[in-house]
Structures are given as C-alpha cells and as structure tokens.
Amino acid sequence: MAGRISDEDIALVRERSPIADIVGEHIQLRNAGGGNLKGLCPFHDEKSPSFNVTPTRGYWYCFGCAEGGDVITFVRRLEHLSFGEAVERLANRAGIQLRYEQGGYVPGREQGERSRLIEAHRAAAEFYAAKLSAPEAAIGRRFLSERGFERVDAEHFGVGYAPAEWEALSRHLMARGFTSAELIKGGLAKEGRRGPIDRFRGRLVWPIRDITGDVIGFGARKLNDAEDGPKYLNTPESPLYKKSEVLYGVDLAKREISKRSQAVIVEGYTDVMACHLSGVPTAVATCGTAFGEEHIKVLRRLLLDQSGSHGEVIFTFDGDAAGQKAALRAFADEQKFVTQTFVAVQPDGFDPCDLRIKQGEAAVRDLIASREPLFAFAIRSVISRYDVSTNEGRLSALDAAAPIVAGIKDRALRQLYGVDLDRWLGFNNERFVMDRIAEISATAQTRPQRPAGPRKVADLTDPGVRTEAEVLKLAVQRPALLGPGFDAIGPEAFTLPEHAALYRLVMETGGTAAAGHGGREWVDRLLDGVADALRGVVTRFAVEELRADVAGEERYASAMLAALELISVARSIEQLKSRMQRTNPVEEQQEYNRLFGELVALEQQRRVLKERAAGS
C-alpha cells in the first residue's frame, strides 16, 4: 500500500479540480441563479433536474436522491472508486504528484512508481495487441476463431499475443525507457541469467484492468499443449495486481452492473467475452483465484448493495461435482451480500463460451435467465449425496442440509425452505423437519444486521420546518449575516432531529462567531470528521440556493432568524397558557401572577419578532 495521501495534497487536488468542470464532463449543467448550476442527476433516473452544483463552495447535492458531497465524492460515486483512487484519478488529471504519509516514505516514490508501472502495463498491452496480427500469432487467431470470436471482438477486449521469444517485450519496454527493475516488480518479466526475460511467451494474452480502466496485469493462455507450464498463467502479486481484489471485465461491466443491479460471475476470460457478446454485459470473472470477500466488496459498491435492494448476483457453474463444490463455497459468502444470489447451471456441462459456440447467443441469455436461488441449489446439492430412498439416507440428508436452512438470515425464507426440504426428502412431516432445523438454528451464532436503508429527505412542506431549513442554510453559507443571535437560540428551536444535530455541529465548531464570512473553508470545517448521516445534511444546505438576492441577503437573514425565534416564542406562549389553565388563581395566586408576568413579556417579544420577521 502506498499509504495515506497527505492532507495538503488532498486539499490541492480539490482546489485544482473545479467541480463545475468535472461534473460538466458527465452531465449538462445550466445556470440556476445565485451562482448555482443544475442538471439531471447521474445517480438516479429523473425527468426534471434536481442535481445542484455550487462552484463557489465546491459542493454538489441532489434533492431527488438526497446524495451530495465535493468533487472527490462525485468521482467516487460515478466511477465506483475508493477515496484514494478518486484522489489519484483527479490528481493525474490536474498534473499533481501526490505524497503519501507512511513510515519510511521517500517523497514522490510510491505514486511515481505506480504511475511508471501503469504506463509500462499500458505499453505492454499495446505491444501484445499489435503482435496478434503477426504471422507467428496465427495459432492465437485460430484459437479465438474456433471459439467464435472475430478480430473486432479481440480488439474490444484488448486480446493480444505474447511472442514465443525470451525477451521480446522486455527489449521493447526497455527501449521505451523502462528499467529491468520496473518490469520485474510489475510482473511483466522475470530475472534471467543475463537480465530480464518475458513472463509470458507464446501465449494468448488478456489485459486485466482495474475498475478505472488501467491495465494492472495480464492473464495468458497456453496455445501449444505440448509446451511446459500451466494452461493459464497470470501476473503475480505486485504493487498493482492483487488477485483477491481483481475481477476481469469489471471496467467494461461496471456501468451495466449498476444500471441493471445485476452481476454475473463466470469462470474464465472467454466466458466473459461470450457473455458480453451475447447480451449479458454484466459478466465478470475472477483471475486465478476463488471468488472471495474482497471481490464481494467490489461488487457491493457497484450494486449499491443495501437494505431494500432488489439486485442479484448470479454464479455460473457446471453441473458436475466441481461446480457443486464451487456453488457451496459461494453459499458461504452469500450471507455477506444483501442482494439476492442465484446459480445458473448448464446441465450439459458447457461453460458460456462453449454454449455460445454450440447453441448460439440466445442460449447464453437463456442460461442466465434460468437461474435458480443459490439456497435451493446448495440444499439440493447436499441432498444429492445421499440415498433418499431409505429412512437412514433421508435422515442423514436432513441433518446435512439443516445447517444450510438454519443459516438463512431471513426468517420467512428459512421457513419456506424448510417446507421445500421436507418435500424434497419425502418425509411429508413439516413439523418434524422444522423442529430439526430449529435445533440447529438455536445454536447458530447471531449474525450482524443488514445495513440501514438510505436516509429519507425531510418533508419541507411545513412552514416552520422550512424556516428552520432557511436559517441553517444561512448558517452554513453566510454565517456572518446571522451574528450572535443564531448562537443564542439553542437546539430546542429546531423540531427535526437532523436540524437540531446540524445546529449542535455548528456550535461545536465554534458557532457563527468563529465562522468568519463562511465559504468553502467553513463548510470544510463543518464536514471534518462528521458522521455520514449528517454529512449529507451539511452538503445539502451548502448547495441549496438561498431564497433572496444578494442585495437583500442581510435583511432576509434577520427576518428568517426572527421568524425562527417567533416560532419558538409562540411555542413557549402555548405551553405557558397551558400551565396557567392548570393553576388556581385564588389558591395559587403568587404562582399565577408570576406566570402571567412571563406571558406579558413573551407577548411583547412576539410583537417585536413579528415586525422583524415581516422585514423579509
């Protein structure tokens, strides 16, 4: 790992990445008044624009899906990147060399090294792709043709050919200025007796890209079975390539995965190609390793996997014993998804590539459409190991399948699969089967709850809530206009919990007295270390347009603050009148007179506030 990017460089990336320019590369923005821009949100379907950008403060917010943030957040959401990846993407765009904070760090080394390795891999991919046209690559072109792939398909996926020479790529890259140490560290070459030798020779080569589209490694297929070495050879672990985190085809599939809320997991590079060319553009594959937890994290980001999600992850496996074993491994990871998981099994044992060759592209689409729930497949796979024609076999199958059913998080779904298990085993005694499952379930460890659903946007139709929002908007955007009056009103003046929380945040950050004239620096201070739920509220009020022109902002701020105080005073008057009604004016004369005096003072305060509020 390169370490933590320095705060100064993150701030510089924000400064040199104008949010209007970055957002404007992806959506059309128009003037919305008050220095704001507006367009159609790229994160949800909408017919009228609700996506707002405030260039002066560097923030965006969508009033349709209640998402918002700065330029880094936008790139993260749009490209499905981590924070560090988004900063690096913007830094490269702005020509900024990042510094990383970690023990033993030499300034510029890690980022410079990564950039060099990325460039070396890009050059290698171009080299391999060009060599696919060479006469010696006829065996590679024939391999692709026999599997139904044309030249245009190879170009689309970047497929190339590694010459059957010891140093062809190494000589080419070193002539381009790359060092032997860089080639070896990146996994493009190995140490030979007289210098670096190519890692891939005489093989068909697929470039493996990360989610941003950068080539980080290669997968290579042996073309001559008589030669030594494994059938498939992948780039070794390197500063760029972590096989447990890589999904082949994710750069091409990421937008369709997000759009369709579907991911199809296949086993090989040609399977990914076959699926995409057959109308299943959500297919990805692991690279030389089993599907695992890090792959799940990548997919969850793409699927926006959360409570209430209706997406699906579909595993494709052969119908043989190896396929069943792979499906059971996938079942163990199912609990880490919120979205639904399925298995698409080809009974004839064809993988998607073979299926496309033998039965056509429609058969590949039909395979995915015929998916069955992973729970059902896992349970029936276990049952198939036993002779259910005997009582002993049925009971053994029940005991083997019961832990799977007991492990289903959803109680109703667990009940339904218990009924199915009874039917599949032929007991015709649901009570007996469910009791057996319950015994297993009672001893199972408590599983973590699913993530909470997305935050709902507050209803601003109530005039009082609208007033609260306007005052908080001023506190975030133009705090100097509110003065000490805002700091004195207290959190009890706000009825919405999120509004009260934002008020407390302002006060914890020093109040409007410490905010100066506001602007980007003030908003950044409010956002520093704040919880995600409140971060969206801050961003929203930083972006939402004020309901006043610049010339009238001072008068408007005074009127809004008075209106908020007026609501609070009116609430106090009602509470005071209620207390007076419960107080006997004869028996509790002293208390009654005290309350009456407070009422007179509050009524006087209300009249003054009404006049100030009318100033708007």
Side-chain angles (χ1 to χ4, degrees):
M1 296 297 291
R4 180 179 180 272
I5 302 172
S6 73
D7 292 339
E8 292 83 0
D9 284 355
I10 293 173
L12 185 61
V13 166
R14 287 194 177 103
E15 179 184 333
R16 295 189 185 176
S17 304
I19 193 166
D21 294 350
I22 303 299
V23 174
E25 293 176 356
H26 302 279
I27 66 175
Q28 186 175 358
L29 295 172
R30 61 178 175 81
N31 195 326
N36 288 349
L37 303 171
K38 183 177 287 189
L40 291 174
C41 181
F43 306 123
H44 80 285
D45 293 329
E46 61 178 7
K47 295 181 179 179
S48 57
S50 60
F51 187 91
N52 287 255
V53 176
T54 306
T56 56
R57 284 180 289 277
Y59 287 95
W60 60 273
Y61 187 83
C62 177
F63 293 93
C65 62
E67 295 287 347
D70 62 5
V71 66
I72 297 173
T73 310
F74 179 81
V75 173
R76 288 186 67 184
R77 283 291 316 276
L78 192 74
E79 299 292 342
H80 307 288
L81 307 177
S82 67
F83 180 85
E85 289 169 340
V87 173
E88 289 172 351
R89 172 66 65 88
L90 290 169
N92 288 335
R93 182 184 185 277
I96 298 170
Q97 182 165 312
L98 298 174
R99 295 167 295 172
Y100 293 77
E101 298 174 347
Q102 188 172 331
Y105 172 70
V106 177
R109 183 186 66 197
E110 283 88 349
Q111 180 59 14
E113 176 186 87
R114 178 178 174 83
S115 296
R116 292 278 296 171
L117 294 181
I118 288 290
E119 182 62 23
H121 278 74
R122 184 190 66 78
E126 292 175 352
F127 174 83
Y128 288 140
K131 289 297 181 181
L132 188 60
S133 300
E136 65 181 292
I139 186 174
R141 295 193 297 272
R142 184 165 61 252
F143 176 93
L144 292 171
S145 178
E146 289 172 351
R147 283 153 183 78
F149 301 122
E150 301 177 0
R151 182 60 187 267
V152 66
D153 302 327
E155 291 175 354
H156 177 68
F157 290 92
V159 184
Y161 175 76
E165 304 174 29
W166 288 102
E167 303 165 354
L169 177 67
S170 297
R171 286 196 307 268
H172 174 77
L173 293 181
M174 291 176 72
R176 296 277 297 269
F178 296 100
T179 67
S180 60
E182 287 173 330
L183 303 188
I184 293 170
K185 191 162 191 175
L188 295 169
K190 298 184 292 185
E191 189 71 67
R193 293 181 180 178
R194 292 176 294 180
I197 58 174
D198 295 352
R199 180 170 294 277
F200 306 116
R201 301 185 302 276
R203 290 173 176 262
L204 206 57
V205 178
W206 284 262
I208 300 171
R209 297 181 172 89
D210 64 13
I211 199 167
T212 71
D214 288 332
V215 179
I216 58 174
F218 295 92
R221 210 275 189 190
K222 183 168 64 175
L223 296 171
N224 187 344
D225 291 337
E227 292 184 359
D228 294 334
K231 178 185 288 188
Y232 282 97
L233 183 64
N234 291 328
T235 294
E237 295 280 310
S238 77
L240 298 181
Y241 185 81
K242 303 288 186 292
K243 64 182 180 180
S244 63
E245 303 172 4
V246 175
L247 287 169
Y248 174 73
V250 71
D251 58 306
L252 298 175
K254 63 182 180 182
R255 295 195 185 280
E256 287 298 321
I257 289 174
S258 295
K259 181 179 178 181
R260 303 186 183 201
S261 293
Q262 179 198 76
V264 176
I265 315 300
V266 297
E267 294 188 341
Y269 307 129
T270 56
D271 293 330
V272 170
M273 294 175 68
C275 283
H276 281 242
L277 296 173
S278 299
V280 185
T282 57
V284 294
T286 59
C287 300
T289 186
F291 186 82
E293 190 167 349
E294 294 303 317
H295 299 121
I296 291 174
K297 291 178 181 178
V298 174
L299 290 182
R300 289 199 64 179
R301 267 167 46 196
L302 294 174
L303 290 164
L304 301 179
D305 194 28
Q306 58 192 2
S307 180
S309 171
H310 298 293
E312 54 185 31
V313 175
I314 304 170
F315 296 91
T316 61
F317 300 113
D318 295 340
D320 58 14
Q324 291 182 5
K325 185 176 180 180
L328 291 176
R329 284 199 307 268
F331 173 81
D333 286 325
E334 190 280 337
Q335 308 292 345
K336 297 170 185 173
F337 282 109
V338 173
T339 195
Q340 300 176 72
T341 49
F342 297 84
V343 172
V345 179
Q346 222 301 314
D348 297 331
F350 297 144
D351 58 31
C353 183
D354 290 336
L355 189 61
R356 177 173 176 262
I357 296 170
K358 299 180 183 300
Q359 300 181 25
E361 294 180 350
V364 177
R365 295 193 296 272
D366 289 343
L367 169 65
I368 305 305
S370 66
R371 65 200 181 281
E372 69 171 318
L374 182 56
F375 290 131
F377 183 83
I379 295 168
R380 292 207 293 219
S381 294
V382 169
I383 292 175
S384 66
R385 303 172 187 168
Y386 299 90
D387 179 7
V388 295
S389 64
T390 67
N391 289 331
E392 291 80 4
R394 283 199 299 271
L395 188 59
S396 296
L398 172 58
D399 286 347
I404 298 177
V405 180
I408 298 175
K409 292 177 289 186
D410 187 293
R411 182 177 178 181
L413 197 59
R414 187 166 64 243
Q415 177 78 21
L416 291 174
Y417 274 110
V419 173
D420 285 340
L421 180 57
D422 173 58
R423 178 166 51 86
W424 292 333
L425 291 175
F427 280 111
N428 295 319
N429 189 340
E430 292 178 10
R431 171 63 64 184
F432 171 72
V433 171
M434 294 309 300
D435 286 346
R436 198 81 166 188
I437 293 171
E439 292 176 13
I440 301 294
S441 183
T443 59
Q445 295 182 349
T446 303
R447 301 185 184 277
Q449 297 296 313
R450 292 179 175 182
R455 183 184 59 83
K456 301 298 183 181
V457 181
D459 182 9
L460 299 180
T461 58
D462 179 82
V465 174
R466 282 206 306 269
T467 300
E468 295 178 19
E470 287 300 304
V471 172
L472 289 170
K473 199 188 307 179
L474 285 160
V476 173
Q477 297 184 24
R478 302 297 304 277
L481 296 176
L482 294 175
F486 176 85
D487 296 351
I489 58 178
E492 61 276 359
F494 300 92
T495 56
L496 283 185
E498 64 184 37
H499 288 177
L502 178 52
Y503 176 84
R504 293 188 186 95
L505 175 64
V506 171
M507 297 309 297
E508 290 168 1
T509 314
T512 56
H517 292 289
R520 174 63 181 269
E521 182 181 351
W522 171 238
V523 176
D524 287 345
R525 286 172 58 193
L526 291 174
L527 287 170
D528 185 27
V530 73
D532 289 342
L534 192 53
R535 178 176 292 272
V537 181
V538 175
T539 307
R540 170 188 157 202
F541 287 136
V543 170
E544 188 174 354
E545 186 179 356
L546 289 171
R547 294 164 55 189
D549 55 37
V550 175
E553 282 184 353
E554 188 172 351
R555 180 165 49 88
Y556 177 73
S558 176
M560 282 295 99
L561 188 57
L564 182 61
E565 291 181 89
L566 182 60
I567 294 172
S568 182
V569 168
R571 194 180 303 124
S572 297
I573 288 174
E574 292 302 316
Q575 293 172 351
L576 192 58
K577 286 182 176 179
S578 177
R579 288 175 59 189
M580 289 178 67
Q581 288 176 351
R582 299 193 301 271
T583 303
N584 189 312
V586 177
E587 297 178 359
E588 303 173 89
Q589 183 178 6
Q590 186 175 357
E591 176 65 11
Y592 187 87
N593 290 341
R594 187 185 66 80
L595 295 174
F596 183 78
E598 289 184 16
L599 180 60
V600 171
L602 285 173
E603 290 286 5
Q604 176 63 25
Q605 186 180 358
R606 178 157 66 174
R607 284 192 292 270
V608 173
L609 289 171
K610 274 186 177 182
E611 292 175 2
R612 283 174 49 197
S616 61

